[in-house]
C-alpha cells in the first residue's frame, strides 16, 4: 500500500526499482535472529500518512538500510 503511494510521487528510474525490490523482499521475510533496522517505506518527511502505521515499517539489514537512504 505505502509502496504504491510512494511510486506515485517519485520518478520512475533504476533507483526506485532497486528500492521497491528491497522493500518487497524485506516484507516477505522474517529477520529475527540477526541485526536489523526499522525503515519507513513512505518517509515520515513526506507527511502523507503512515508515519506511525506499523504497515509502513519494514525490517532491513544494515546494508539494505544504507542503500535505501
Amino acid at each position: 500500500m505505502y509502496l504504491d503511494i510512494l511510486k506515485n510521487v517519485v520518478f520512475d528510474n533504476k533507483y526506485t526499482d532497486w528500492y521497491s525490490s528491497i522493500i518487497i523482499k524485506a516484507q516477505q521475510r522474517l529477520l529475527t535472529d540477526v541485526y536489523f533496522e526499522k525503515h519507513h517505506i513512505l518517509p515520515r518527511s513526506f507527511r502523507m500518512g503512515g508515519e506511525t502505521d506499523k504497515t509502513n515499517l519494514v525490517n532491513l539489514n544494515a546494508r539494505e538500510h544504507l542503500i535505501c537512504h
Side-chain angles (χ1 to χ4, degrees):
M1 175 175 130
Y2 289 107
L3 193 56
D4 295 329
I5 294 170
L6 187 64
K7 286 181 180 181
N8 289 327
V9 296
V10 297
F11 295 112
D12 185 27
N13 57 38
K14 68 180 178 182
Y15 303 109
T16 55
D17 291 342
W18 290 350
Y19 182 84
S20 297
S21 66
I22 290 171
I23 297 300
I24 290 168
K25 181 177 137 185
Q27 288 175 328
Q28 296 173 349
R29 66 158 186 241
L30 184 62
L31 284 179
T32 56
D33 59 340
V34 295
Y35 175 77
F36 64 87
E37 300 172 357
K38 291 195 181 290
H39 176 75
H40 287 87
I41 298 168
L42 183 66
R44 291 187 303 179
S45 60
F46 281 22
R47 307 243 189 269
M48 298 178 70
E51 289 88 6
T52 58
D53 189 355
K54 290 186 180 190
T55 59
N56 189 34
L57 293 173
V58 66
N59 294 332
L60 301 177
N61 64 39
R63 183 174 185 272
E64 291 170 336
H65 203 208
L66 177 67
I67 292 169
C68 285
H69 279 273

